[in-house]
Amino acid sequence: MLYKTVFLFTLLSGVFGYHSIRPWWRNDKLHFTGLANGQKFADCGSTEGKLTDVTVVPCTTDPCTFIRGQDTTIHITFTPSVDITTGLNVVVKGIIAHIPVPFPLPNPDACSGSGLQCPLKAGQQYVYTVSLPVKTIYPQIKLAVQVEIVNKQTNKDVICAKFPAQISD
């Protein structure tokens, strides 16, 4: 699966060219939810919660640069609008030329090892933290990163956050 993902990244960057894809964050129709520490992020479809903040560490540029061979940590602050009783799953995707490419996580359970203690109460603010390993085999490319925290009971997005990034050395 990982090789297919890397192949798709490489194919898309070669076919469309590194700079010829109009990045989603330059789309005049997209309205940013916020700007945190100079980092742009957008709500991409939260249905059972409110996205408050997205912080990427390390991130010193816009878009954030994910350094190959290093981990990148993402902190997402949100408030669920419903009680979360059965737990949460996390889905991370790289969006390249409007094509979502799944990014496998070592632990997709948001209630384990992420700073969250499930169950979660509606109206209370929480911070989800995930560390993404950026492998050296990933191609150097600009993309959008989409993180969805999904309610296991309803299979709906509690939050969906999207932000611009690039993979580089």
Side-chain angles (χ1 to χ4, degrees):
M1 177 67 184
L2 179 60
Y3 294 114
K4 290 179 184 176
T5 302
V6 171
F7 174 75
L8 181 60
F9 274 65
T10 306
L11 177 67
L12 289 173
S13 64
V15 170
F16 294 108
Y18 185 69
H19 295 288
S20 66
I21 301 171
R22 183 175 173 86
W24 69 269
W25 61 90
R26 292 192 183 142
N27 184 343
D28 297 331
K29 296 178 183 177
L30 182 69
H31 300 284
F32 290 105
T33 301
L35 186 64
N37 298 330
Q39 302 164 0
K40 296 175 183 176
F41 65 93
D43 186 310
C44 52
S46 302
T47 58
E48 293 187 347
K50 181 180 182 203
L51 177 63
T52 308
D53 186 34
V54 176
T55 304
V56 180
V57 179
C59 182
T60 57
T61 61
D62 182 29
C64 292
T65 300
F66 291 11
I67 306 296
R68 295 191 304 179
Q70 297 182 12
D71 288 353
T72 297
T73 303
I74 302 171
H75 304 280
I76 298 176
T77 306
F78 69 101
T79 305
S81 57
V82 298
D83 288 336
I84 308 295
T85 57
T86 58
L88 299 165
N89 285 325
V90 178
V91 178
V92 177
K93 300 172 187 167
I95 311 294
I96 304 167
H98 304 288
I99 299 171
V101 179
F103 186 92
L105 294 176
N107 179 20
D109 183 357
C111 298
S112 173
S114 67
L116 295 179
Q117 298 272 337
C118 293
L120 305 182
K121 297 280 184 195
Q124 186 173 335
Q125 184 169 291
Y126 297 93
V127 178
Y128 168 76
T129 301
V130 63
S131 182
L132 302 175
V134 183
K135 302 190 188 242
T136 56
I137 61 171
Y138 292 169
Q140 295 185 49
I141 190 169
K142 289 187 178 187
L143 69 156
V145 176
Q146 182 171 307
V147 181
E148 299 170 47
I149 300 178
V150 181
N151 186 337
K152 286 183 182 180
Q153 183 175 358
T154 63
N155 205 31
K156 293 183 180 178
D157 287 347
V158 176
I159 66 95
C160 180
K162 187 187 282 188
F163 58 91
Q166 62 186 11
I167 299 173
S168 186
D169 286 330

mmCIF file of all heavy atoms in Angstrom, residues 9 17 20 30 50 67 70 73-75 77 79 83 85-86 90 97 102 109 119 121 126 133 137 156 162:
data_model
loop_
_atom_site.group_PDB
_atom_site.id
_atom_site.type_symbol
_atom_site.label_atom_id
_atom_site.label_comp_id
_atom_site.label_asym_id
_atom_site.label_seq_id
_atom_site.Cartn_x
_atom_site.Cartn_y
_atom_site.Cartn_z
ATOM 1 N N PHE A 9 2.147 9.671 -5.608
ATOM 2 C CA PHE A 9 2.743 10.977 -5.338
ATOM 3 C C PHE A 9 3.740 11.329 -6.443
ATOM 4 O O PHE A 9 3.722 12.421 -6.983
ATOM 5 C CB PHE A 9 3.489 10.961 -3.992
ATOM 6 C CG PHE A 9 2.641 11.255 -2.811
ATOM 7 C CD1 PHE A 9 1.618 10.407 -2.443
ATOM 8 C CD2 PHE A 9 2.883 12.370 -2.028
ATOM 9 C CE1 PHE A 9 0.845 10.659 -1.341
ATOM 10 C CE2 PHE A 9 2.109 12.633 -0.924
ATOM 11 C CZ PHE A 9 1.083 11.778 -0.570
ATOM 12 N N GLY A 17 3.599 18.341 -12.956
ATOM 13 C CA GLY A 17 4.646 19.316 -12.682
ATOM 14 C C GLY A 17 4.516 19.858 -11.278
ATOM 15 O O GLY A 17 3.434 20.007 -10.727
ATOM 16 N N SER A 20 2.735 23.358 -11.416
ATOM 17 C CA SER A 20 1.610 23.620 -12.300
ATOM 18 C C SER A 20 0.260 23.338 -11.662
ATOM 19 O O SER A 20 -0.759 23.742 -12.179
ATOM 20 C CB SER A 20 1.739 22.804 -13.586
ATOM 21 O OG SER A 20 1.629 21.429 -13.303
ATOM 22 N N LEU A 30 -12.172 29.196 -1.254
ATOM 23 C CA LEU A 30 -11.958 28.589 0.045
ATOM 24 C C LEU A 30 -11.814 29.670 1.098
ATOM 25 O O LEU A 30 -11.060 30.619 0.929
ATOM 26 C CB LEU A 30 -10.693 27.725 0.036
ATOM 27 C CG LEU A 30 -10.408 27.014 1.335
ATOM 28 C CD1 LEU A 30 -11.452 25.929 1.571
ATOM 29 C CD2 LEU A 30 -9.028 26.406 1.309
ATOM 30 N N LYS A 50 -16.742 21.680 16.556
ATOM 31 C CA LYS A 50 -16.226 22.950 16.050
ATOM 32 C C LYS A 50 -14.706 22.921 16.117
ATOM 33 O O LYS A 50 -14.124 22.684 17.175
ATOM 34 C CB LYS A 50 -16.752 24.106 16.881
ATOM 35 C CG LYS A 50 -16.259 25.448 16.385
ATOM 36 C CD LYS A 50 -16.772 26.606 17.187
ATOM 37 C CE LYS A 50 -16.228 27.854 16.533
ATOM 38 N NZ LYS A 50 -16.155 28.977 17.385
ATOM 39 N N ILE A 67 9.701 17.745 6.810
ATOM 40 C CA ILE A 67 11.059 17.339 6.456
ATOM 41 C C ILE A 67 11.133 15.821 6.382
ATOM 42 O O ILE A 67 10.786 15.119 7.336
ATOM 43 C CB ILE A 67 12.079 17.866 7.493
ATOM 44 C CG1 ILE A 67 11.939 19.385 7.671
ATOM 45 C CG2 ILE A 67 13.494 17.470 7.097
ATOM 46 C CD1 ILE A 67 12.254 20.188 6.444
ATOM 47 N N GLN A 70 11.982 12.997 9.248
ATOM 48 C CA GLN A 70 11.659 13.520 10.576
ATOM 49 C C GLN A 70 10.165 13.374 10.828
ATOM 50 O O GLN A 70 9.380 13.200 9.899
ATOM 51 C CB GLN A 70 12.046 14.991 10.687
ATOM 52 C CG GLN A 70 13.530 15.246 10.548
ATOM 53 C CD GLN A 70 13.872 16.722 10.706
ATOM 54 O OE1 GLN A 70 13.062 17.536 11.120
ATOM 55 N NE2 GLN A 70 15.101 17.066 10.354
ATOM 56 N N THR A 73 4.475 16.935 14.119
ATOM 57 C CA THR A 73 3.408 16.802 15.102
ATOM 58 C C THR A 73 2.308 17.803 14.802
ATOM 59 O O THR A 73 2.574 18.975 14.526
ATOM 60 C CB THR A 73 3.948 17.025 16.527
ATOM 61 O OG1 THR A 73 5.000 16.081 16.752
ATOM 62 C CG2 THR A 73 2.859 16.837 17.566
ATOM 63 N N ILE A 74 1.077 17.315 14.840
ATOM 64 C CA ILE A 74 -0.092 18.163 14.594
ATOM 65 C C ILE A 74 -0.949 18.173 15.854
ATOM 66 O O ILE A 74 -1.287 17.118 16.394
ATOM 67 C CB ILE A 74 -0.917 17.643 13.403
ATOM 68 C CG1 ILE A 74 -0.050 17.575 12.145
ATOM 69 C CG2 ILE A 74 -2.154 18.518 13.172
ATOM 70 C CD1 ILE A 74 -0.709 16.867 10.979
ATOM 71 N N HIS A 75 -1.284 19.378 16.324
ATOM 72 C CA HIS A 75 -2.180 19.556 17.473
ATOM 73 C C HIS A 75 -3.472 20.177 16.947
ATOM 74 O O HIS A 75 -3.426 21.233 16.302
ATOM 75 C CB HIS A 75 -1.569 20.492 18.522
ATOM 76 C CG HIS A 75 -0.218 20.068 19.011
ATOM 77 N ND1 HIS A 75 -0.040 19.087 19.955
ATOM 78 C CD2 HIS A 75 1.026 20.489 18.665
ATOM 79 C CE1 HIS A 75 1.246 18.929 20.191
ATOM 80 N NE2 HIS A 75 1.915 19.766 19.404
ATOM 81 N N THR A 77 -7.194 21.553 18.111
ATOM 82 C CA THR A 77 -8.077 21.938 19.209
ATOM 83 C C THR A 77 -9.497 21.998 18.668
ATOM 84 O O THR A 77 -9.745 22.625 17.638
ATOM 85 C CB THR A 77 -7.668 23.310 19.790
ATOM 86 O OG1 THR A 77 -6.280 23.252 20.149
ATOM 87 C CG2 THR A 77 -8.503 23.665 21.007
ATOM 88 N N THR A 79 -14.028 21.348 19.795
ATOM 89 C CA THR A 79 -15.093 21.164 20.776
ATOM 90 C C THR A 79 -16.180 20.322 20.137
ATOM 91 O O THR A 79 -16.816 20.766 19.167
ATOM 92 C CB THR A 79 -15.674 22.530 21.215
ATOM 93 O OG1 THR A 79 -14.603 23.347 21.700
ATOM 94 C CG2 THR A 79 -16.734 22.364 22.289
ATOM 95 N N ASP A 83 -22.003 14.237 22.620
ATOM 96 C CA ASP A 83 -21.210 13.370 23.484
ATOM 97 C C ASP A 83 -20.606 12.249 22.633
ATOM 98 O O ASP A 83 -21.295 11.645 21.814
ATOM 99 C CB ASP A 83 -22.060 12.763 24.600
ATOM 100 C CG ASP A 83 -22.454 13.783 25.668
ATOM 101 O OD1 ASP A 83 -21.738 14.799 25.813
ATOM 102 O OD2 ASP A 83 -23.470 13.560 26.353
ATOM 103 N N THR A 85 -19.267 8.690 22.930
ATOM 104 C CA THR A 85 -19.289 7.604 23.906
ATOM 105 C C THR A 85 -18.541 6.354 23.455
ATOM 106 O O THR A 85 -18.036 5.603 24.282
ATOM 107 C CB THR A 85 -20.742 7.222 24.238
ATOM 108 O OG1 THR A 85 -21.410 6.858 23.026
ATOM 109 C CG2 THR A 85 -21.478 8.381 24.897
ATOM 110 N N THR A 86 -18.462 6.113 22.154
ATOM 111 C CA THR A 86 -17.867 4.865 21.675
ATOM 112 C C THR A 86 -16.459 5.027 21.133
ATOM 113 O O THR A 86 -15.841 4.043 20.751
ATOM 114 C CB THR A 86 -18.741 4.229 20.563
ATOM 115 O OG1 THR A 86 -18.873 5.168 19.508
ATOM 116 C CG2 THR A 86 -20.098 3.844 21.101
ATOM 117 N N VAL A 90 -9.157 8.310 13.488
ATOM 118 C CA VAL A 90 -8.516 9.412 12.779
ATOM 119 C C VAL A 90 -8.134 8.945 11.387
ATOM 120 O O VAL A 90 -7.582 7.858 11.214
ATOM 121 C CB VAL A 90 -7.262 9.911 13.520
ATOM 122 C CG1 VAL A 90 -6.585 11.026 12.743
ATOM 123 C CG2 VAL A 90 -7.625 10.391 14.901
ATOM 124 N N ALA A 97 -3.615 17.332 -6.396
ATOM 125 C CA ALA A 97 -4.413 17.556 -7.608
ATOM 126 C C ALA A 97 -5.850 17.101 -7.395
ATOM 127 O O ALA A 97 -6.434 16.435 -8.237
ATOM 128 C CB ALA A 97 -3.781 16.855 -8.810
ATOM 129 N N PRO A 102 -4.673 8.263 0.975
ATOM 130 C CA PRO A 102 -4.628 7.931 2.405
ATOM 131 C C PRO A 102 -3.188 7.918 2.932
ATOM 132 O O PRO A 102 -2.271 7.464 2.259
ATOM 133 C CB PRO A 102 -5.226 6.520 2.470
ATOM 134 C CG PRO A 102 -5.909 6.309 1.171
ATOM 135 C CD PRO A 102 -5.254 7.200 0.167
ATOM 136 N N ASP A 109 -6.594 5.147 16.364
ATOM 137 C CA ASP A 109 -7.537 5.330 17.475
ATOM 138 C C ASP A 109 -7.209 6.640 18.192
ATOM 139 O O ASP A 109 -6.185 6.744 18.880
ATOM 140 C CB ASP A 109 -7.446 4.149 18.441
ATOM 141 C CG ASP A 109 -8.439 4.236 19.590
ATOM 142 O OD1 ASP A 109 -9.176 5.245 19.685
ATOM 143 O OD2 ASP A 109 -8.473 3.291 20.392
ATOM 144 N N PRO A 119 -14.700 8.626 27.151
ATOM 145 C CA PRO A 119 -15.618 9.418 26.330
ATOM 146 C C PRO A 119 -15.374 10.927 26.456
ATOM 147 O O PRO A 119 -14.791 11.387 27.425
ATOM 148 C CB PRO A 119 -16.995 9.044 26.884
ATOM 149 C CG PRO A 119 -16.747 8.633 28.295
ATOM 150 C CD PRO A 119 -15.354 8.052 28.321
ATOM 151 N N LYS A 121 -17.168 14.864 26.303
ATOM 152 C CA LYS A 121 -18.424 15.560 26.582
ATOM 153 C C LYS A 121 -18.665 16.675 25.571
ATOM 154 O O LYS A 121 -17.742 17.412 25.213
ATOM 155 C CB LYS A 121 -18.391 16.186 27.983
ATOM 156 C CG LYS A 121 -18.267 15.174 29.098
ATOM 157 C CD LYS A 121 -19.593 14.564 29.376
ATOM 158 C CE LYS A 121 -19.501 13.626 30.561
ATOM 159 N NZ LYS A 121 -20.632 12.769 30.662
ATOM 160 N N TYR A 126 -11.119 20.109 23.635
ATOM 161 C CA TYR A 126 -10.101 19.062 23.704
ATOM 162 C C TYR A 126 -9.001 19.357 22.700
ATOM 163 O O TYR A 126 -9.214 20.074 21.732
ATOM 164 C CB TYR A 126 -10.708 17.692 23.374
ATOM 165 C CG TYR A 126 -11.765 17.249 24.349
ATOM 166 C CD1 TYR A 126 -13.109 17.521 24.114
ATOM 167 C CD2 TYR A 126 -11.419 16.559 25.502
ATOM 168 C CE1 TYR A 126 -14.085 17.113 25.007
ATOM 169 C CE2 TYR A 126 -12.397 16.140 26.406
ATOM 170 C CZ TYR A 126 -13.720 16.411 26.154
ATOM 171 O OH TYR A 126 -14.679 16.018 27.038
ATOM 172 N N PRO A 133 5.151 10.320 10.912
ATOM 173 C CA PRO A 133 6.499 10.066 10.396
ATOM 174 C C PRO A 133 6.558 10.417 8.909
ATOM 175 O O PRO A 133 5.740 9.958 8.122
ATOM 176 C CB PRO A 133 6.683 8.561 10.621
ATOM 177 C CG PRO A 133 5.297 7.999 10.704
ATOM 178 C CD PRO A 133 4.400 9.106 11.170
ATOM 179 N N ILE A 137 11.352 8.162 1.646
ATOM 180 C CA ILE A 137 10.943 7.742 0.299
ATOM 181 C C ILE A 137 9.823 8.607 -0.270
ATOM 182 O O ILE A 137 9.501 8.507 -1.443
ATOM 183 C CB ILE A 137 10.517 6.255 0.270
ATOM 184 C CG1 ILE A 137 9.336 6.016 1.196
ATOM 185 C CG2 ILE A 137 11.676 5.358 0.594
ATOM 186 C CD1 ILE A 137 8.722 4.632 1.070
ATOM 187 N N LYS A 156 -19.563 9.936 11.448
ATOM 188 C CA LYS A 156 -19.529 11.311 10.935
ATOM 189 C C LYS A 156 -18.282 12.010 11.452
ATOM 190 O O LYS A 156 -17.769 11.681 12.523
ATOM 191 C CB LYS A 156 -20.770 12.081 11.387
ATOM 192 C CG LYS A 156 -22.052 11.577 10.773
ATOM 193 C CD LYS A 156 -23.223 12.427 11.214
ATOM 194 C CE LYS A 156 -24.518 11.926 10.605
ATOM 195 N NZ LYS A 156 -25.665 12.716 11.074
ATOM 196 N N LYS A 162 -8.045 21.032 7.240
ATOM 197 C CA LYS A 162 -7.201 20.964 6.050
ATOM 198 C C LYS A 162 -6.226 22.136 6.089
ATOM 199 O O LYS A 162 -6.613 23.257 6.437
ATOM 200 C CB LYS A 162 -8.058 21.041 4.792
ATOM 201 C CG LYS A 162 -7.286 20.814 3.507
ATOM 202 C CD LYS A 162 -8.133 21.052 2.275
ATOM 203 C CE LYS A 162 -9.050 19.912 1.984
ATOM 204 N NZ LYS A 162 -9.728 20.072 0.668
#
